[in-house]
Amino acid sequence: MIDLHTHTFFSDGELVPAELVRRAAVAGYTGLAITDHADQSNTVWLLSNLVDVVDALGAANNMQVLAGVELTHVPPQMIAGAAKLARDNGAEIIVVHGETIVEPVIEGTNRAAIEAGVDILSHPGLISEEDVRLAAEKGVCLEITTRKGHSLTNGHVVKLALQYGAKLVIDNDTHGPGDLMSPEMSHKIALGAGLTEAQIAAARQNSADLVARAKGK
Ligand SMILES: [Zn+2]
Ligand SMILES: [Zn+2]
């Protein structure tokens, strides 16, 4: 299993990257992206902490670890610039903190993330049909999340993604050890969001494809 959305204590997570990676490996994960909360003020710092260590941490734990960011509450008109800053500083994956219904994320964030061509739009809340259509066209993955609160709109995201052919990924948004969902529980949550076995397998493959692309394999 792969979780492409996690936090360390470089933002509001509980663990240092080495422990997060170790605990994920022991929990049966084969891939992990470290995506701490970022805006223009800390993106360079976050990535400078990560880019030189992720491959060694991954190799030591027999898994793939990606250096990334979750652009969080970045105003829509600044998202494309922040994404470029992250790419230019070695980000292997860019997640944008979407319009979850449990936080006052600025309207237009979902659209700006998709237009910027980021990798994953996380917890996109009550995303519009038009934005889901655009995500499908641009190949931006929409996230189904096991995270409390953000997960309340999983069913809506699944319904529209299937309708318009947008790609999905399933993430935990891990902040602490207890968030590293077992594969069984993650599977149940995905089924509960309305995905079939085949659609869950396709979502897992989308995550694997993002890892493979990041590592050039
Ligand atoms: Zn988020
Ligand atoms: Zn997050």
Side-chain angles (χ1 to χ4, degrees):
M1 200 162 76
I2 295 170
D3 186 355
L4 294 177
H5 181 172
T6 73
H7 300 275
T8 72
F9 65 25
F10 290 136
S11 61
D12 60 349
E14 296 171 23
L15 306 175
V16 74
E19 184 172 353
L20 175 63
V21 170
R22 181 62 193 155
R23 285 181 178 272
V26 170
Y29 287 69
T30 58
L32 196 78
I34 299 175
T35 57
D36 275 304
H37 296 293
D39 64 13
Q40 270 87 345
S41 72
N42 67 340
T43 290
V44 174
W45 173 76
L46 283 171
L47 289 164
S48 71
N49 290 343
L50 289 176
V51 289
D52 292 334
V53 300
V54 285
D55 286 340
L57 288 178
N61 288 281
N62 197 27
M63 65 191 293
Q64 300 274 12
V65 181
L66 278 60
V69 288
E70 181 183 17
L71 300 176
T72 304
H73 288 271
V74 173
Q77 65 272 28
M78 297 168 76
I79 285 176
K84 183 177 187 309
L85 180 66
R87 292 260 186 240
D88 289 349
N89 282 275
E92 297 176 304
I93 190 159
I94 298 177
V95 177
V96 167
H97 184 90
E99 295 176 44
T100 174
I101 61 169
V102 296
E103 285 177 30
V105 178
I106 299 179
E107 193 180 337
T109 295
N110 288 345
R111 170 66 60 91
I114 294 163
E115 285 179 342
V118 302
D119 301 300
I120 296 173
L121 175 58
S122 64
H123 45 71
L126 294 172
I127 186 170
S128 69
E129 297 192 17
E130 198 181 347
D131 285 353
V132 173
R133 216 180 291 133
L134 190 61
E137 193 183 306
K138 301 265 292 180
V140 174
C141 292
L142 304 179
E143 184 191 67
I144 300 306
T145 180
T146 64
R147 183 100 178 136
K148 62 180 188 296
H150 297 333
S151 60
L152 290 167
T153 54
N154 279 344
H156 170 80
V157 177
V158 163
K159 186 181 76 175
L160 290 189
L162 295 177
Q163 189 175 342
Y164 294 108
K167 290 194 285 186
L168 293 170
V169 293
I170 303 161
D171 291 331
N172 292 320
D173 202 348
T174 298
H175 285 69
D179 299 329
L180 287 166
M181 215 50 80
S182 68
E184 295 75 22
M185 183 54 77
S186 172
H187 194 81
K188 285 179 185 173
I189 292 170
L191 288 172
L195 290 169
T196 64
E197 297 286 346
Q199 289 158 352
I200 293 170
R204 301 288 185 209
Q205 186 59 48
N206 291 334
S207 295
D209 290 347
L210 285 171
V211 171
R213 198 202 57 197
K215 299 302 184 185
K217 290 170 200 156

